Amino acid sequence: MKASKCFECGSSDIVSGLTVLTEETTSGGRPAYVNLAEPEPEKRPFLWIRDEVKSEFHAAVCGACGYTRLFAINHAEILEAHKKGFTSLG
Ligand SMILES: [Zn+2]
């Protein structure tokens, strides 16, 4: 993902493509992520598994001022899920 100029200070010293970690990540957990889940159908079938779309992020940090942007990796899937009425879990 291209992040050529800082929105905050205009610097082009952007360090991009960084994985966003959490405390749990270092002990085997996942990096920070969002999760959109399918709404339950009105007539729920006997066998129904909720469909979910997840995305982790890449961060782009401005080396001059520290302003940080996050980019969802699976943004296209998130948009698709949003259009289908999926909502955020958590
Ligand atoms: Zn900056």
Side-chain angles (χ1 to χ4, degrees):
M1 182 56 67
K2 195 115 172 82
S4 53
K5 261 197 168 177
C6 178
F7 287 150
E8 192 66 23
C9 74
S11 169
S12 53
D13 291 328
I14 308 293
V15 184
S16 60
L18 305 174
T19 304
V20 180
L21 302 175
T22 62
E23 275 298 306
E24 288 73 29
T25 312
T26 45
S27 50
R30 295 176 55 118
Y33 66 98
V34 289
N35 189 348
L36 276 76
E38 184 183 17
E40 191 170 315
E42 263 179 46
K43 290 181 181 171
R44 181 181 169 151
F46 182 66
L47 285 174
W48 180 72
I49 298 167
R50 189 185 296 275
D51 193 13
E52 295 179 6
V53 173
K54 295 178 183 175
S55 181
E56 294 169 6
F57 304 97
H58 278 159
V61 177
C62 173
C65 76
Y67 183 79
T68 300
R69 280 184 276 170
L70 296 179
F71 297 90
I73 297 164
N74 299 329
H75 53 88
E77 290 86 347
I78 287 176
L79 179 60
E80 203 56 43
H82 174 70
K83 285 179 177 173
K84 289 193 276 185
F86 285 33
T87 52
S88 184
L89 274 188

